[in-house]
Amino acid sequence: MADIEPTRRTRKQNAPVPLPENVALLLQGGGALGSFQAGVYERLDDLKIEVDWVAGISIGAINAAIIAGNPPERRMERLHQFWDLVSGGMPNFWIPQNDHIREAAHLAAAGAVAMFGVPGFFRPHIIPPQFMPEGSPEATSLYNVGMLETTLNDLIDWNLLNDGPVRLSVGAVDVESGDFVYFDTRGREGEFGANTRIDARHIMASGALPPGFPAIKIGERYYWDGGIVSNTPLAHVLDHAKGDILVFQVDLFPAEGPLPKELTDVYSRQKDIQYSSRTRQVTDQYLRMRRDHKAVRDALKTLPADMLDHPKVKLVCDGLRDEAVNIVHLIYRSRAWESGARDFEFSRATMLDHWQQGQEAVDGVMCKGDILAQNILNGESAAFDLDRQDHLTEKTI
């Protein structure tokens, strides 16, 4: 007889909410804003919420690789090492809590990064691109990212990353074909990018944002930053998930925002819209699909028992998605003094501020964790969004 009703399983754990079979952490691209993601992971780790799938784009791919490529007891140490390194290129001094002064310091720090680069990450080419051999990395980019490979190799155990318990997926785009691809340590047999032995090249490819960074060669193909096509791995995870899943979607660029009042606001808002990658649209489309599948499943229950074994009925049942999916959106909210340069402002003070905001975002959701817990226990699907302090909105099927 065709299986119409799914079964639910939760794992034993000490987290503040019951955890389903799979827990995924999804990390957008966003440069210097990536320390917000590190703060999110630190708080999840504090709460004993064990993540078994990390997926990322650009800086999200770097954070994801550090998580997947280290044992649990070393992950926070390695994340701190990376962010301390990349935020150590300029003096760290006290700044008054005045928006105008903070904005001036913020823009000065971003200007210093543009001029001198970031330690352990990238530095400007000595010779201008127009004077370099045609087709070379130096002719097609503004910065040298060779030091990032050394940084990644120092911080990541690639054998653990590829063979360990945490699945890793990172997105990039083929420069010549324009095809979007995920390099995935698991995946479906025969699917391009699935079951890839990931190394530093794949992580660097996911973050090779032109024209700043050169395309990264893997095999015979060249790849750029996956954020050019989609800045969030949400669709990939939802399409490939098996079994009930809890997704923490960490957005560095909010889809919603105020009407710009100044030219700097226009640049900032344009970047938000461009890189938010329609996260909510993907979520809404998925929930609509789940509603349709639920309606079909309810209709099948009205069929006579002898019809449930009909091949066409079985075919319909096989195509129904019945796993419970709960998506928690953790969204970075820009400070009043931050501009469109906030994704390449790597000062220590700003990095620590982003980190703290990531921790607070998780706390804000968990203080309403009873709603999330009930959904998981009941096998229901929904999307949750902390749209303002202490206010958790829920979209259900």
Side-chain angles (χ1 to χ4, degrees):
M1 182 178 292
D3 184 13
I4 297 175
E5 287 296 334
T7 57
R8 311 256 79 90
R9 289 187 297 172
T10 57
R11 45 168 133 156
K12 296 179 179 179
Q13 38 72 41
N14 298 315
V17 294
L19 300 181
E21 294 178 74
N22 306 292
V23 178
L25 179 64
L26 278 52
L27 307 176
Q28 275 192 350
L33 299 175
S35 57
F36 176 83
Q37 300 170 342
V40 166
Y41 180 76
E42 182 170 41
R43 181 61 80 231
L44 293 177
D45 185 56
D46 290 341
L47 294 171
K48 309 301 181 185
I49 297 177
E50 184 179 347
V51 173
D52 45 38
W53 188 355
V54 282
I57 306 288
S58 198
I59 194 67
I62 293 177
N63 282 329
I66 292 173
I67 293 169
N70 281 283
E73 66 274 11
R74 298 207 67 183
R75 290 171 187 165
M76 288 316 308
E77 173 193 343
R78 294 303 198 187
L79 283 170
H80 276 291
Q81 283 182 345
F82 175 76
W83 285 102
D84 287 347
L85 173 64
V86 299
S87 65
M90 58 195 75
N92 181 30
F93 49 85
W94 178 81
I95 301 174
Q97 293 302 312
N98 176 285
D99 284 349
H100 296 293
I101 296 175
R102 289 299 300 266
E103 182 178 12
H106 160 70
L107 292 173
V113 167
M115 184 173 295
F116 302 110
V118 172
F121 201 155
F122 61 88
R123 63 173 179 267
H125 295 305
I126 297 175
I127 301 175
Q130 58 267 34
F131 299 112
M132 299 306 293
E134 187 176 273
S136 67
E138 294 78 11
T140 55
S141 65
L142 300 174
Y143 298 96
N144 183 317
V145 294
M147 62 178 68
L148 178 58
E149 182 175 7
T150 301
T151 298
L152 293 173
N153 287 334
D154 287 344
L155 296 176
I156 296 168
D157 180 339
W158 297 108
N159 287 327
L160 177 62
L161 181 147
N162 285 288
D163 302 322
V166 178
R167 179 176 180 176
L168 174 67
S169 309
V170 297
V173 59
D174 187 303
V175 176
E176 294 174 282
S177 71
D179 292 336
F180 192 67
V181 60
Y182 275 96
F183 299 110
D184 199 321
T185 56
R186 312 281 195 276
R188 300 168 183 154
E189 287 297 331
E191 187 176 76
F192 184 79
N195 302 301
T196 298
R197 295 294 298 183
I198 289 177
D199 57 36
R201 296 170 303 160
H202 302 87
I203 309 304
M204 294 171 68
S206 184
L209 184 64
F213 301 158
I216 301 298
K217 186 178 182 181
I218 301 175
E220 297 302 318
R221 311 299 296 179
Y222 287 84
Y223 296 92
W224 271 336
D225 191 309
I228 296 174
V229 175
S230 176
N231 199 38
T232 176
L234 180 59
H236 176 77
V237 170
L238 293 180
D239 185 48
H240 291 75
K242 294 181 180 179
D244 295 351
I245 187 170
L246 171 61
V247 175
F248 291 95
Q249 167 66 46
V250 187
D251 293 345
L252 300 180
F253 297 95
E256 297 179 353
L259 186 69
K261 297 180 180 179
E262 300 177 352
L263 195 57
T264 53
D265 297 336
V266 172
Y267 178 42
S268 177
R269 188 72 196 114
Q270 177 264 333
K271 188 172 285 189
D272 283 344
I273 295 171
Q274 178 180 358
Y275 289 115
S276 64
S277 291
R278 304 173 299 280
T279 300
R280 289 181 179 173
Q281 181 182 1
V282 172
T283 303
D284 291 344
Q285 288 176 343
Y286 185 80
L287 291 177
R288 280 197 298 270
M289 181 194 76
R290 295 303 304 276
R291 279 193 291 269
D292 293 341
H293 285 203
K294 184 177 184 297
V296 172
R297 191 176 293 108
D298 290 342
L300 289 173
K301 294 176 185 177
T302 67
L303 295 177
D306 60 338
M307 290 188 64
L308 294 179
D309 287 327
H310 191 283
K312 290 186 177 180
V313 174
K314 287 185 175 182
L315 184 63
V316 171
C317 290
D318 289 342
L320 296 177
R321 300 290 297 271
D322 55 22
E323 66 276 2
V325 176
N326 284 279
I327 303 169
V328 178
H329 292 285
L330 300 167
I331 306 172
Y332 174 73
R333 310 291 181 182
S334 300
R335 302 294 194 190
W337 46 265
E338 287 186 298
S339 70
R342 62 188 180 276
D343 57 331
F344 59 93
E345 200 268 85
F346 281 84
S347 70
R348 180 65 55 83
T350 302
M351 182 274 288
L352 293 174
D353 183 62
H354 294 160
W355 194 296
Q356 181 180 347
Q357 288 185 71
Q359 295 174 320
E360 293 171 351
V362 176
D363 290 338
V365 169
M366 288 305 152
C367 75
K368 302 289 184 179
D370 56 326
I371 304 173
L372 176 60
Q374 197 60 48
N375 257 38
I376 294 172
L377 289 172
N378 293 342
E380 298 174 353
S381 295
F384 299 88
D385 181 0
L386 191 72
D387 57 358
R388 62 181 185 273
Q389 189 174 8
D390 297 329
H391 186 259
L392 190 67
T393 61
E394 178 185 7
K395 293 181 181 179
T396 67
I397 63 171

